[in-house]
Amino acid sequence: MAQTVSPPATDAVSRRQQSWVYFDGEFRRYQDARVGLLTQGLNYGTGVFEGLRAYWNEETQQLYGLWFPEHFRRLHQNARTLQMRVPHSVEELCRITTELLRRNQSRETTYIRPLIFKSAEEIGFRLHDVPDSFAIATAPMGDYVPTHGMRCMVSTWRRISDTMAPPRTKCTGIYINSALAKSEALQSGFDEAIMLSESGNVCEGTGENIFVIREGVVTTPPASDNILEGITRRGVMHLFREELGLDVVERSIARGELYLADEVFMCGTGAQLAPVTEIDRRTVGDGEPGPLTTRIQHLYQQIVVGANPKYLEWVTPIW
Ligand code: PMP
């Protein structure tokens, strides 16, 4: 009997299993890098991670790592918060990641996930006097969120505050907060959530920082409003100042300002530059990505693939 043979959905899985990762001092196959069920980092969320991207430039056949030193510096700082020590310097981490991408023959846009976690396999949690494991894995990644116009909702979940756990760090456990808001948004038919702080100010997306533009004034929430101090955010602020001659005002933003904005966009390593065209069923501006957002987005898209000579120091050629 004739059977329809669907393409093996297992392709990506087996590719991942065979891919190289860096784990506790050596390069191994993904399938050979395992953790035990009682690992503290898995049970209690006691880990710190980073997210980097390397962009494939089809024209020049080159892969460009974006802001590698900045991400690894943040990893070092964040690890200290959880009383961990990353076993490599920033320079070594850049070298290891480059080698990893080469081993994986990465010739497409790729996400890079460094992770340090409490590796003791025993019941009970604490930060001090527990061994750490350190890993880096990679995975091909296109758009993480729509980049042509996102529909967002203001989440019913509030962004975690620094009185509970440090929101400036990329601690794994803290991401339950983002996951709750993300699922609520997606299951309600939106693309992304906008989270408010405990005091009701606009904070950020679930994995992105947010910018709000009104009458030519660009604003973004300050670090003191419990945001993650995004590396993309910093780069975007630089581009506004240097390329568009516009200052970015860091100040608390009220929810109602979202509805009055001419332009809103989110940014992050995963999200890249993502215009927001609808919030809580109200169109932002005229419902299309705004002119300033579009200009920044184009600049960003050029820079990340090493196509803007002025910003070559932001990227590391891998090949
Ligand atoms: N906020 C949160 C909660 C995030 O997880 C991220 C992604 N790291 C960002 C903002 C954006 O940060 P970055 O630009 O450094 O990727």
Side-chain angles (χ1 to χ4, degrees):
M1 196 170 65
Q3 267 191 336
T4 319
V5 181
S6 43
T10 53
D11 252 18
V13 176
S14 82
R15 204 177 141 201
R16 169 170 303 160
Q17 294 297 334
Q18 288 303 313
S19 72
W20 289 99
V21 300
Y22 184 80
F23 189 43
D24 282 344
E26 54 188 49
F27 290 97
R28 300 186 206 181
R29 299 285 182 180
Y30 184 94
Q31 62 191 11
D32 300 327
R34 299 272 159 215
V35 296
L37 285 180
L38 288 179
T39 303
Q40 286 189 2
L42 179 62
N43 284 262
Y44 306 117
T46 43
V48 168
F49 68 99
E50 259 306 322
L52 302 78
R53 261 190 198 260
Y55 282 87
W56 178 242
N57 184 327
E58 186 62 35
E59 212 170 295
T60 58
Q61 295 286 297
Q62 179 60 274
L63 187 71
Y64 288 99
L66 180 64
W67 289 316
F68 274 12
E70 288 80 357
H71 280 279
F72 287 126
R73 267 199 291 278
R74 185 168 69 184
L75 183 70
H76 267 262
Q77 292 166 0
N78 287 347
R80 281 208 297 274
T81 307
L82 292 203
Q83 301 193 24
M84 294 167 164
R85 205 184 64 80
V86 183
H88 302 286
S89 68
V90 168
E91 295 71 31
E92 283 166 0
L93 290 168
C94 292
R95 272 201 301 278
I96 292 166
T97 306
T98 300
E99 161 141 25
L100 187 58
L101 289 165
R102 288 184 183 162
R103 275 182 184 244
N104 280 327
Q105 295 293 313
S106 298
R107 292 178 182 278
E108 63 195 307
T109 296
T110 302
Y111 190 81
I112 301 142
R113 165 55 48 79
L115 172 68
I116 180 168
F117 59 95
K118 302 287 180 192
S119 57
E121 295 179 55
E122 57 189 41
I123 306 296
F125 46 83
R126 62 181 189 276
L127 297 179
H128 64 285
D129 298 338
V130 184
D132 312 324
S133 273
F134 175 71
I136 310 179
T138 71
M141 185 154 119
D143 288 349
Y144 171 70
V145 293
T147 50
H148 47 269
M150 283 201 292
R151 297 179 56 246
C152 294
M153 66 174 280
V154 171
S155 183
T156 64
W157 296 98
R158 294 293 171 98
R159 167 84 174 154
I160 194 159
S161 121
D162 211 308
T163 54
M164 304 160 189
R168 277 167 199 74
T169 62
K170 286 183 75 68
C171 293
T172 55
I174 284 180
Y175 276 77
I176 189 68
N177 185 224
S178 286
L180 286 163
K182 182 83 180 188
S183 277
E184 180 189 46
L186 292 177
Q187 291 174 337
S188 307
F190 296 92
D191 298 312
E192 186 51 281
I194 297 172
M195 301 188 76
L196 307 181
S197 66
E198 265 295 278
S199 50
N201 294 325
V202 173
C203 250
E204 57 182 356
T206 59
E208 309 87 9
N209 291 114
I210 192 167
F211 284 75
V212 177
I213 305 171
R214 188 176 171 202
E215 289 170 10
V217 180
V218 188
T219 52
T220 194
S224 51
D225 271 350
N226 295 324
I227 63 166
L228 183 91
E229 295 172 30
I231 291 164
T232 320
R233 172 182 180 271
R234 202 190 309 161
V236 163
M237 288 167 74
H238 178 95
L239 293 179
F240 267 114
R241 288 191 185 120
E242 295 301 315
E243 301 298 323
L244 271 56
L246 287 172
D247 240 355
V248 177
V249 183
E250 291 178 80
R251 66 156 175 85
S252 293
I253 298 172
R255 176 179 183 165
E257 292 185 72
L258 295 173
Y259 306 142
L260 302 177
D262 301 319
E263 301 181 39
V264 175
F265 68 87
M266 291 191 181
C267 68
T269 303
Q272 310 171 94
L273 246 294
V276 176
T277 46
E278 190 185 311
I279 299 172
D280 290 342
R281 299 197 162 82
R282 295 149 175 92
T283 53
V284 176
D286 61 7
E288 295 293 324
L292 292 174
T293 303
T294 305
R295 282 174 72 187
I296 292 288
Q297 191 178 32
H298 286 161
L299 272 166
Y300 187 79
Q301 285 165 348
Q302 249 184 10
I303 290 167
V304 298
V305 294
N308 187 325
K310 207 170 149 188
Y311 290 97
L312 283 179
E313 78 272 22
W314 286 8
V315 291
T316 313
I318 300 301
W319 293 104

